[in-house]
Structure formats: C-alpha cells, structure tokens
Amino acid sequence: MITLRNVVKSYNIDNKNFNALDGIDLDIDETEMLAVMGPSGSGKSTLLNILGGMDSVTSGEYIFDGTEVNNLKASGLHKFRRDNVSFVFQQFALMDKYTIFENVELPLIPKHISKLKRKKIVMKQLERMGIADQANKYPTQLSGGQQQRCAIARALASDNRLILADEPTGALDSHNGQEMMNILKEINKEGKTVVVITHDERIASQCNRIVYIRDGKITSE
Amino acid sequence: MGKIILKNIIHRKWSFIVTILINIVALSMIAMSVYIYENTTYCEKIIDKSMRYDIDNIGIITVGNLETEEGYMYDDMGEISQSMVNELKENDKIISVGAIGIEEGFDNSDIAKIQHELIDNEDNKNNNDDDELLHYYGMDSGIMDMFNIELTEGSIDKTIDTSDELTNYVYLGEGYKKKYKVGDVIDIQYKNDIHYRMIVNGFFSSKGIIAEPNVISTTAGFTSDKCCFKLKDSDVIIVHNMAYNGAVCFMVWNDNYSYDEIQNEVNKLAKRYDKTAHVVKLSKIIKEKVKEGNEISGYIMDVLWIILVTAVIMVTCIQITNILNNTSQYGIMYANGFSAGSIMTMLAVETFLNTIIAAVMSIVVVKKLIKFIFTAVTDENEVIDYIFKEYVIGVDILAAFIISIVSIVIPMIIIYRMKPVQLIGGEDT
Ligand SMILES: Nc1ncnc2c1ncn2[C@@H]1O[C@H](COP(=O)(O)OP(=O)(O)OP(=O)(O)O)[C@@H](O)[C@H]1O
Ligand SMILES: [Mg+2]
C-alpha cells in the first residue's frame, strides 16, 4: 500500500543542509503492523510525519495506494490526511478545553458527517475503549492510560486506514503500555495498517516487522 | 465549525473581551470623528439637497451701493423693489426669482399666535407644546419651486396676486389636513382690529427642507446645523409679496447662461432703477462658509487615521499572542483532517465577529452620547439621526472591516508558514 523511494527530508540549519531523512526506501503492506526503532534524533518522527502527510518530502517518491503523495499540493495533502490517516501521539495531543466526547468527535467534523451520526460513532468508540462514562469530562481529569484510550478512540472514529503512532506507550506505565499494544494489535487484525514508533524492544517485538533507523537511513529490517 | 468557533471564544473570553473593548474605543472614536466631520459639512450637503436646481445656478441678489465686489454682506442691504422683481420674472433667462423670509418664535410671538389660532380651530392642542418652535415661511410665489417642497395637494402657482396684504394664499403642513382642504377660506381675527384672511392653496409633506436665508445671507459661518429647516406638519407657508420684512431675494437662472451674463443682465436692470446690483452664487457662499469647517475636518481625518492604525496594531498584537498560545490546537486540528483554509476561516470569523459586535456597540453608545451632549447645544435629533444613517454607520462598519482584515493578515501568515508538525509540537510545552 505504501512505497517510499529514495525519500530525503532536509532542513536548512545555519545555512547548511541537514538531511533528517537521507534516502529512505520502504514498502509497507496493507495488513502490516510495523515498528520503527532508532536512537533519538534519527528521524523516526520525521518519517511518520511524511507518511501522514503532515510534512512534505524534499525529494524522492511517496506513493500511497497509487497516489503520488509527494506531488500533492496543500489542499490535496489535506484531503489525503483527512481521508486516510489517523495519528496517535506520545503526549496524546488532546485539546484540553474540549470534553472527551468533543475530542473524539474532532476528525469527523472536516468529513462533514451529520451530528446524529457523529454522536453514534463517538459513543461506539468510547464504549469500545471503556471510557464512555468519561465522555463529558475534560482530558486533564483523566489518567494517562484513559487519555491515550481517548486518543485511540479518536483515531478509530475517523475510520482511516493508516494509523500512525509516535511512541504511543512512551508516557504510560508498562501495564497501560501493554494494554495499548493489545488494542493496536486488535485494530491491525481488523484491517488497519499500523506504524508504531517505539524505543521499547518488548513493544517492537509484538509487531510483524521492525525497521531500524539511524541518521536518517534505514540500517536493518 | 460554528461550535468550535464559539468554544474558542468562550475559552479565550478575556482576550476576546479585551479585543472588543479596544475595538469599541477605537470604533467609537471613529464614529465620533465621522459625526463631527459630517456635521461641519452637513450644511453644504443639506442646502444642496434642499434645492431643486444646481446651486451653481442659484444666486442671491443684493441691491444698493455695494462697494465690495467679493463680499455678500447683507447687513445694510438695500431693498429690491417689487417692480424689479417683476421685471426679472419676465426675463426668460431667469427661471425663478423672489424673496423668502422665515420667522420662528415661541408661544408669544405674533406668528405663533396666528398659527395657534389655526391649530386651535383644529382642536389639536397636543401640538401646543411650549417648547415647540413654530415656523412661518413668507415666500414669494416666484420662488416656491426653487425648494424641494413636495406638495401632497394643490399646486404651485407662480402668478398669485399678493397685493392685498390682509389676504394671503397659504400652503399648510399635513397637520392641518384634517380640518382644512384646498380652496378653504380661513378668517382669523387678530388683536380685535386686524382680520387676516387665508386661502388654502395646497398642502406640503414634511419631507421638504428650506435653506435658512438669514444664515446664508450673512457672514455667519455654518457653525451649527441651523442652516436649514425641515418642514414640519405644523408649519405654514404664506405666499407673500416683497414687503415682507427682512426677506432675502433668491434667483435661479437657466443653465444655458453663464454667471457673468446673468450678472450683466441684473446690473443693466438695476441701472434703470439707479441702483447697483450684485448676484452672489449660492455655491460660492457655501464654499466660503465651509472653508473654516474643512480645516477642522482635515485634523479630524488625521486623528481618524491614527486611531485606525493604533487599533489595528493593538488588535494584531492580541491576535498574534492568541495564536502563538494556541498553536497546539491548530496542530491537533491539522492532524485530525482540518485544512489550513478552514483553520484560517475560523480565525477570521472570530475576528470579524469581534469587530462587528464592537462596531454595533460603539454606534449605539456614540449615538446616545452625541444626543446627550449635542442636543443640549444646537444639534437636532433629526440631524443626528440623518448623519448617523447616511455616514457614521457606514464608515464605522467599514472601519471594523479594515481592522479585521488588516489585523488578521500577520497571524494568518504566521499560521501558514508554520509547518503542521511545528504546530503540534506546541502540545509538549
Ligand atoms: N523543523 C525542523 N527543523 C530543523 N530540524 C529538524 C526539524 N524537525 C526535526 N529536525 C531534526 O531532524 C532530526 C530528526 O528528528 P526527529 O524528530 O525525526 O527524531 P526522532 O527520531 O523522532 O527522535 P526522538 O526519538 O527523540 O523523538 C533531528 O536531528 C531534529 O533535530
Ligand atoms: Mg520523535
């Protein structure tokens, strides 16, 4: 489903070009659950942002299901992101001022889904994550594990095919972390493509495949 | 989307309120400046509007030993005779000519007594307000068509014979309509020995405006809006002859002829009567009178720009702080499928909502304030309403749009130039 060919992402720091990604070749299958590992600053998050259409490549090809994402302009990239990608972040990226319900509802708004349908979808996902009773609370009133469940509920609500998780267990204890992995594995079995960035070998080993990145290059699979 | 905007406003209520306050102060000052500016030029516009003809083709005739060519001081004006006016009426270069005098007075003036007599006949006592300024216009039949007087009944008759001083043809305000009709003869006994006879020739609507000849014909500047009178339902126009005391003679000439030709024509005529005559263009009189006002207006315009720029800078700063404090929200929205465009629309709607609320509030506040301050001095409620409707509201809303648009530009550029990734980075902090 995903093909990256010689992808380079460079930043200009002090007038010098710095390649955060330096010629990445990677294929990800639809059914896959992929772990990305590597030292800090190696380019893992950069890779994930490019996969998710949050950032554009400097050079190289990114093909998603036949679409040349690397050639998409801002509006095309926005539609690509809206219709295909869901993110889960280490710090949950929930909106503090919005209730749990409203946070999960968020990705449905740009999809122009009716209010009634939105409510159904949100409640279904909250129930699945076991936090339906927290719907009217605010993120800060929830535990870390509950917040990450909310983030997952939000990712599932949009029903997008690609789930990108940047250290989803990084802010959780090992028990909650493992629970999160169980949920992600379950989602993967239901047919979603999952890419997980992690520093934790035990987490990575539960995925179908692991790629290692160092200095913006894939070193081994 | 509307819900998100509403939530944003509620969550940033303090900065929203502060922004509204800044906007209200700025827009109120703008509204006030516009009012003062328009008030100084009000006379020019309203006189222009009150006339049926171009003010370049209207003039005032002075007759006598006028030395100063430029001036139009009437303070020792010689009287133009009825026969001179009659000759001018015959002249086909001249459309209308005649005198007009206006008297206003409170309850105890002669005019008021006559009018009260009319009103009393009508059993319409509620018009007998002690404060009510009653107007009584003495007008030569030859000049009635110069003003934009809208007759609802009857017609203007330029050939009315006004030689009998105790028999007058009158046009009445709509307030008299219930009691009288066209053709009625009203006999009024006044001071026991004088009998006035009034013949109703028509009725006029209260839409008309009559330029105040006493202001126009003297050196007094247009300092107040008393340069015109709006016709009222209780007003009376009496078709008068030239003997009317203190009358000012207007004329309107055919625009095929130049001012010089008309001046020559009038001079030739005056010579035959052993007099000199001078025609002063109405447009010139107005121009001189508003010159002073224009200088004040110039300052007001400068002040207006300073206020606008200051408001824009302040609102922009608040917007920028707001946005920098909320980058994570925009980042999260990006990551959840919102487009840059929709996020910017959201910001723009917030800003516009703010300034529009402020504009509406400032208009209400300033209008109340102006009515409070100025009606005590000279300005009439009607004038204030008119200037607000025609100018202040429009300019204030326009200023609100300018503030919104300009203050949103920099924040939008900031958002646009920030990568979604950077925006979401704000979440960690
Ligand atoms: N916007 C940017 N401008 C300049 N340099 C950047 C930018 N974003 C990332 N980098 C650099 O690119 C490199 C890769 O960053 P990235 O965030 O992908 O690392 P990472 O592998 O996710 O690290 P970590 O495990 O600490 O999250 C880093 O050296 C970082 O400093
Ligand atoms: Mg990272």
Side-chain angles (χ1 to χ4, degrees):
Chain A
M1 180 172 71
I2 289 172
T3 308
L4 296 182
R5 284 291 168 268
N6 198 21
V7 164
V8 175
K9 177 72 193 176
S10 53
Y11 293 108
N12 204 324
I13 300 165
D14 297 336
N15 280 329
K16 268 184 246 161
N17 258 355
F18 164 76
N19 289 348
L21 295 180
D22 195 5
I24 298 277
D25 290 305
L26 182 65
D27 293 275
I28 305 171
D29 196 62
E30 205 162 348
T31 58
E32 249 183 316
M33 179 158 179
L34 177 76
V36 179
M37 294 192 80
S40 187
S42 57
K44 305 183 294 294
S45 295
T46 309
L47 174 64
L48 207 73
N49 285 326
I50 282 175
L51 287 175
M54 290 274 276
D55 213 346
S56 51
V57 301
T58 307
S59 68
E61 275 186 354
Y62 170 19
I63 295 157
F64 183 99
D65 234 10
T67 309
E68 290 185 28
V69 180
N70 53 295
N71 285 335
L72 291 178
K73 297 269 180 301
S75 71
L77 216 54
H78 150 241
K79 286 203 185 76
F80 164 74
R81 208 166 57 229
R82 183 189 66 190
D83 299 335
N84 299 299
V85 190
S86 293
F87 289 90
V88 179
F89 295 96
Q90 179 176 4
Q91 298 299 335
F92 322 130
L94 299 174
M95 300 221 262
D96 293 345
K97 309 279 166 54
Y98 289 67
T99 63
I100 297 303
F101 182 95
E102 287 161 347
N103 266 287
V104 176
E105 192 185 20
L106 197 66
L108 302 177
I109 291 167
K111 284 180 186 258
H112 308 296
I113 292 171
S114 77
K115 199 174 167 177
L116 211 74
K117 254 190 175 162
R118 288 206 302 263
K119 191 173 171 168
K120 255 186 173 162
I121 295 170
V122 172
M123 286 322 289
K124 189 180 142 200
Q125 295 307 332
L126 287 177
E127 264 155 35
R128 178 172 181 186
M129 290 300 130
I131 50 171
D133 51 338
Q134 315 286 325
N136 293 321
K137 288 193 182 166
Y138 289 88
T140 46
Q141 298 171 307
L142 267 58
S143 73
Q146 285 172 318
Q147 286 188 49
Q148 198 59 304
R149 281 164 179 276
C150 173
I152 297 268
R154 182 176 64 187
L156 292 179
S158 63
D159 200 24
N160 290 340
R161 299 155 61 190
L162 179 60
I163 311 269
L164 301 172
D166 195 340
E167 296 185 47
T169 61
L172 303 175
D173 59 39
S174 60
H175 169 73
N176 275 315
Q178 187 49 51
E179 206 139 89
M180 196 50 48
M181 275 313 285
N182 293 342
I183 294 167
L184 287 174
K185 281 193 280 188
E186 211 176 291
I187 293 165
N188 175 244
K189 283 215 184 71
E190 287 166 13
K192 309 249 186 241
T193 315
V194 179
V195 178
V196 185
I197 291 178
T198 182
H199 283 117
D200 190 336
E201 277 289 349
R202 280 172 303 170
I203 297 287
S205 62
Q206 299 177 46
C207 297
N208 311 131
R209 182 157 70 111
I210 306 173
V211 293
Y212 293 91
I213 296 188
R214 181 179 286 271
D215 297 333
K217 291 188 174 78
I218 292 179
T219 52
S220 66
E221 295 208 7
Chain B
M1 208 61 191
K3 195 176 155 195
I4 294 181
I5 292 168
L6 202 70
K7 262 193 167 303
N8 282 347
I9 291 173
I10 291 166
H11 292 139
R12 289 181 225 153
K13 54 181 174 293
W14 290 115
S15 75
F16 194 79
I17 289 168
V18 169
T19 316
I20 281 203
L21 288 179
I22 292 172
N23 278 328
I24 287 178
V25 170
L27 291 170
S28 296
M29 286 165 89
I30 288 169
M32 189 67 111
S33 310
V34 172
Y35 177 77
I36 294 168
Y37 177 85
E38 291 302 336
N39 196 30
T40 57
T41 55
Y42 174 76
C43 288
E44 186 181 0
K45 287 177 203 123
I46 206 78
I47 287 175
D48 195 13
K49 218 177 137 185
S50 75
M51 298 297 179
R52 190 160 279 161
Y53 299 94
D54 191 335
I55 53 171
D56 276 327
N57 298 323
I58 299 176
I60 293 172
I61 314 171
T62 67
V63 175
N65 308 314
L66 198 82
E67 255 93 57
T68 46
E69 286 292 307
E70 285 298 304
Y72 47 86
M73 273 191 278
Y74 277 56
D75 302 337
D76 57 5
M77 144 195 179
E79 272 200 7
I80 183 166
S81 69
Q82 186 66 50
S83 48
M84 274 175 84
V85 171
N86 285 344
E87 275 199 54
L88 287 172
K89 279 183 182 172
E90 298 297 315
N91 193 320
D92 59 6
K93 291 176 186 163
I94 290 160
I95 298 170
S96 301
V97 59
I100 169 175
I102 297 179
E103 291 233 355
E104 57 182 18
F106 292 95
D107 254 2
N108 55 355
S109 70
D110 288 357
I111 298 107
K113 278 174 189 154
I114 293 173
Q115 273 181 305
H116 279 179
E117 196 87 43
L118 280 176
I119 294 163
D120 286 346
N121 281 353
E122 198 189 348
D123 288 326
N124 190 0
K125 303 246 187 207
N126 24 338
N127 274 358
N128 284 0
D129 194 334
D130 279 347
D131 290 343
E132 177 105 45
L133 222 48
L134 292 163
H135 289 147
Y136 164 53
Y137 302 88
M139 227 181 261
D140 193 300
S141 61
I143 208 70
M144 269 192 81
D145 68 336
M146 181 180 81
F147 293 106
N148 266 320
I149 300 170
E150 190 188 282
L151 291 184
T152 55
E153 260 177 62
S155 58
I156 289 172
D157 179 2
K158 283 192 168 193
T159 62
I160 289 172
D161 176 17
T162 55
S163 53
D164 178 2
E165 275 193 38
L166 293 179
T167 303
N168 291 125
Y169 288 85
V170 293
Y171 292 86
L172 303 175
E174 303 247 88
Y176 300 97
K177 235 178 182 172
K178 276 175 255 160
K179 183 76 186 176
Y180 304 108
K181 57 182 193 301
V182 175
D184 275 1
V185 176
I186 310 164
D187 283 311
I188 292 170
Q189 180 129 354
Y190 177 55
K191 280 182 184 166
N192 293 329
D193 50 344
I194 303 170
H195 297 271
Y196 277 115
R197 167 163 284 192
M198 297 190 179
I199 300 163
V200 181
N201 227 24
F203 291 92
F204 52 84
S205 80
S206 58
K207 280 184 195 145
I209 299 162
I210 306 286
E212 157 65 292
N214 295 320
V215 172
I216 288 174
S217 61
T218 61
T219 44
F222 287 157
T223 47
S224 79
D225 48 74
K226 280 284 188 284
C227 54
C228 283
F229 295 109
K230 199 165 181 297
L231 286 175
K232 286 199 285 271
D233 286 346
S234 60
D235 286 343
V236 174
I237 296 175
I238 297 188
V239 181
H240 231 291
N241 61 26
M242 286 307 298
Y244 185 74
N245 205 15
V248 175
C249 192
F250 278 99
M251 65 183 275
V252 183
W253 59 87
N254 193 315
D255 61 7
N256 290 333
Y257 300 97
S258 71
Y259 165 76
D260 288 337
E261 281 173 282
I262 297 300
Q263 171 68 50
N264 270 339
E265 201 78 16
V266 175
N267 255 335
K268 253 194 300 185
L269 175 74
K271 260 201 194 111
R272 282 198 274 113
Y273 286 82
D274 281 333
K275 292 195 171 175
T276 58
H278 196 80
V279 178
V280 191
K281 262 204 259 184
L282 187 57
S283 57
K284 188 184 163 195
I285 295 173
I286 292 171
K287 223 173 266 161
E288 278 182 34
K289 281 179 188 283
V290 298
K291 209 155 69 185
E292 202 179 316
N294 278 344
E295 272 164 34
I296 304 166
S297 308
Y299 291 120
I300 290 172
M301 287 313 275
D302 292 345
V303 172
L304 217 121
W305 280 112
I306 293 168
I307 297 166
L308 201 62
V309 169
T310 315
V312 164
I313 291 171
M314 287 171 85
V315 175
T316 307
C317 288
I318 293 177
Q319 291 282 9
I320 291 172
T321 342
N322 253 343
I323 281 161
L324 293 181
N325 282 337
N326 288 285
T327 49
S328 71
Q329 183 190 337
Y330 305 129
I332 292 168
M333 288 178 76
Y334 263 118
N336 283 285
F338 285 81
S339 65
S342 63
I343 291 171
M344 288 187 194
T345 309
M346 198 176 81
L347 276 175
V349 170
E350 263 179 69
T351 311
F352 275 98
L353 211 65
N354 192 307
T355 45
I356 290 300
I357 292 173
V360 170
M361 287 172 86
S362 69
I363 288 166
V364 172
V365 168
V366 170
K367 199 168 173 184
K368 282 245 150 68
L369 196 70
I370 284 175
K371 285 201 171 177
F372 179 74
I373 301 171
F374 290 99
T375 45
V377 194
T378 53
D379 300 9
E380 286 175 24
N381 268 322
E382 264 167 23
V383 174
I384 296 172
D385 288 342
Y386 172 83
I387 294 179
F388 262 80
K389 195 173 125 237
E390 297 283 314
Y391 305 99
V392 178
I393 294 175
V395 175
D396 220 39
I397 302 266
L398 185 74
F401 269 86
I402 292 173
I403 293 175
S404 306
I405 289 169
V406 177
S407 67
I408 202 80
V409 167
I410 295 172
M412 278 200 171
I413 291 172
I414 293 176
I415 290 253
Y416 190 76
R417 295 190 59 166
M418 274 179 129
K419 289 272 166 64
V421 192
Q422 284 172 296
L423 289 173
I424 211 154
E427 178 66 9
D428 294 333
T429 52

